[in-house]
Every structure is written in C-alpha cells, then in structure tokens.
Amino acid sequence: EQGSRPLNDLELASRLSFFLWSSLPDEELLSLAEKGQLSKPDVLKAQVHRMIVDPRGISLTRDFAFQWLNIAKMDSIVPSAALFQHASGVYDPRAALKKELELFMDSILRSDRPVTDLLTADHTFINEQVALIYGYTDIRGNGFHKVTLTDPNRHGLLGKGAVLMVTANPNRTAPVLRGAWIMERILGTPPAVPPPNVPDLGDAVKGKPATVREQTEIHRRNAACASCHAVMDPLGFALENFDGGGQFRDNERGSPIDASGVLDGKEFKDVQGLATALHDHPQLPGCLVKR
C-alpha cells in the first residue's frame, strides 16, 4: 500500500482549482506551479484568497456547501398542500429558499468571517416569497435583498427555510431527521444505522398524542432505539417551532411547543440556545474541514 506523499506544485494547482472553482487552473496558477512557487506558504495563501474572491469562487458554495448540507434532497420533497399552503403548489418556495441559502453561505465562506458565523449570523438574503414565509411584509418583488434579521430565531443555518424543509417530512416535522442532520452535517458524528424492523412513528404510537414531540418521545422508549435517539431527538426538538414548510409557529394542535433540549449535557430552551451551543462546539470547524 502506497503511503502519503507531498503533492508537487502542478498537482497542487490542479486540486486547488477543482476544489475552489470546479475548473482547470488558470495561467497564473500554472505559472507559479511551473516555477515551483505555489507550495510556498505565503504564495499559496495569496492564491487561495485570490481564487475565493474571484467570481468562479461561487463554486465553493454551489458545489461544496450544498453537498455538505444535502440540499439536493429538496428536489424530492413536495410539502403537503393541505397542511402547508404557503409552501406548496404555485407558492412552492424551494427555488427561492435554495437561492437564499446560496447567497447566505457565500457571504460567510467567501469573506473573512469565521465559519462559526454560519450558526449565528444575523443577516440573510430574501425576496418577497421568502420574506412572507419569514414574517416580513416590507420586501417586494423577486429580487433578493440583504437584510438584518430582527427575529433571532432566523439567525444562522438553523433558521433557514431550505435547511428546515430538507430535514422535515412532506406532511409533518421530523425531530429525528433534524437531529440526525445536525449530528452528521454540523458535528460530524452521524448516528448509527437504525436496527431492522423498527416501526415508524405512526405505527409505534397508540393513543394519538397531541404533538410530534410526544409521539417521538414514546417512540424512543423502544430499547433498540433509545441510545441513538437520546442524542438525536433533543437536537431536533429545538427546531419544532418551525413547521415542515419552514414557517415559525408557537403552537401545535393547540398545545404550546416545547423546543427545549440538551447537547453534551448542556440544556438549552430553544433554537437560539442550540445555535449558540453549536457555534461554540469544538467539533464544528473540524467537521467542516473534513467535509
């Protein structure tokens, strides 16, 4: 088995270009590589900065970031028109929500901001369609505008409609899916594969509890599921204030929503608390680099 070895400068130019631009190296990169200059730390750092701010650097967001967050799954999700009138049919917001996420991610990844701002940044980019879902009534038209979010529940990735929709079922929220998404995509610790023949949420619950949280907590009593769900579910519960279409709500079926949870033994009361905990979590930067 061949061990690791340093890349030569031409290999470095190629890998750097395909990673940041999804394209071939340009003349400047090749020239530096041919002279043996590209691998020098100061030269390499300068080239990385040049490539990121170049318009072709948008590939870092569209290719890397969207794969990292599994946003392609949105194309297979069709929210229930009966339950989410604001997010289905002619009001289908998926294209607009993906554009918002692209612009938001790009504003962090291609600037000098720390990557931890992905969890807590108080700005986003919205058009009228997204604004109405988020509860803003002063944005008009299809163009996207950078705004400072007055609602802290919308700060960072956890408040973005694309993330909330891709981690929900078409007809209801899914704390398990949302918790698993956070574990895998943000913390880099994906849950174990579930054991076979475990009934789904609806089949596992009798008595029709009032909320998804109650159903999920009953489901978790299955001994085969408890170890993973004890970690996953409390993370997903923090997002229960957001329905499957990404709209904020205070109640579910007439009951106040309990969005409290726990991460590594530290309790939080809502999505803002979870976002802060993830922002400060030591695994986030490592997960991003590994991805």
Side-chain angles (χ1 to χ4, degrees):
E1 181 180 350
Q2 185 177 0
S4 60
R5 64 171 178 81
L7 298 174
N8 63 45
D9 278 37
L10 286 172
E11 290 170 329
L12 180 59
S14 179
R15 294 197 182 195
L16 196 62
S17 181
F18 278 106
F19 172 51
L20 295 178
W21 287 347
S22 296
S23 183
L24 296 167
D26 64 0
E27 290 185 8
E28 184 171 337
L29 268 179
L30 289 175
S31 177
L32 289 169
E34 289 167 354
K35 296 174 183 176
Q37 299 292 310
L38 184 58
S39 56
K40 293 182 177 180
D42 289 345
V43 175
L44 180 60
K45 183 177 181 180
Q47 285 301 305
V48 168
H49 278 276
R50 176 182 74 88
M51 295 175 71
I52 286 176
V53 300
D54 186 282
R56 287 169 287 187
I58 189 67
S59 174
L60 184 64
T61 298
R62 291 176 178 168
D63 295 334
F64 162 69
F66 272 35
Q67 288 185 42
W68 167 40
L69 300 178
N70 195 28
I71 300 304
K73 184 182 175 184
M74 284 189 75
D75 295 335
S76 64
I77 294 175
V78 182
S80 167
L83 298 175
F84 309 118
Q85 294 92 340
H86 64 280
S88 58
V90 296
Y91 301 108
D92 186 345
R94 287 178 294 177
L97 291 174
K98 283 196 285 188
K99 186 64 178 180
E100 178 211 7
L101 187 65
E102 175 189 314
L103 294 170
F104 171 73
M105 295 290 293
D106 202 57
S107 71
I108 303 295
L109 294 181
R110 294 210 292 149
S111 71
D112 289 328
R113 301 182 64 154
V115 294
T116 49
D117 279 5
L118 288 170
L119 274 301
T120 54
D122 66 354
H123 74 277
T124 193
F125 301 80
I126 56 178
N127 66 355
E128 182 176 359
Q129 187 177 23
V130 178
L132 292 175
I133 293 176
Y134 288 6
Y136 294 87
T137 59
D138 55 349
I139 303 292
R140 293 288 183 269
N142 292 325
F144 283 78
H145 306 269
K146 183 177 181 179
V147 297
T148 299
L149 293 162
T150 56
D151 179 2
N153 293 305
R154 291 291 178 185
H155 290 183
L157 284 174
L158 300 185
K160 299 295 173 283
V163 169
L164 296 165
M165 189 177 289
V166 86
T167 56
N169 287 319
N171 62 340
R172 62 170 174 81
T173 57
V176 174
L177 294 181
R178 287 174 169 176
W181 184 91
I182 291 169
M183 289 180 65
E184 180 176 4
R185 307 290 166 169
I186 304 298
L187 298 176
T189 53
V193 177
N197 302 320
V198 174
D200 64 24
L201 198 61
D203 293 337
V205 178
K206 295 180 180 179
K208 297 182 179 180
T211 67
V212 169
R213 178 168 187 145
E214 289 172 328
Q215 294 178 47
T216 304
E217 288 176 337
I218 293 174
H219 182 79
R220 196 167 68 213
R221 294 174 190 170
N222 186 318
C225 308
S227 59
C228 286
H229 281 267
V231 179
M232 274 190 305
D233 297 359
L235 303 179
F237 290 149
L239 304 181
E240 271 299 279
N241 280 118
F242 298 103
D243 68 21
Q247 198 166 49
F248 193 86
R249 60 196 180 152
D250 291 312
N251 298 278
E252 181 191 357
R253 299 178 184 176
S255 300
I257 289 174
D258 179 4
S260 62
V262 61
L263 173 62
D264 293 342
K266 297 180 181 179
E267 296 182 353
F268 51 82
K269 64 178 184 179
D270 52 25
V271 64
Q272 299 171 51
L274 174 58
T276 300
L278 292 172
H279 174 278
D280 298 336
H281 203 285
Q283 288 178 209
L284 171 60
C287 174
L288 184 62
V289 170
K290 186 176 180 179
R291 286 285 179 176

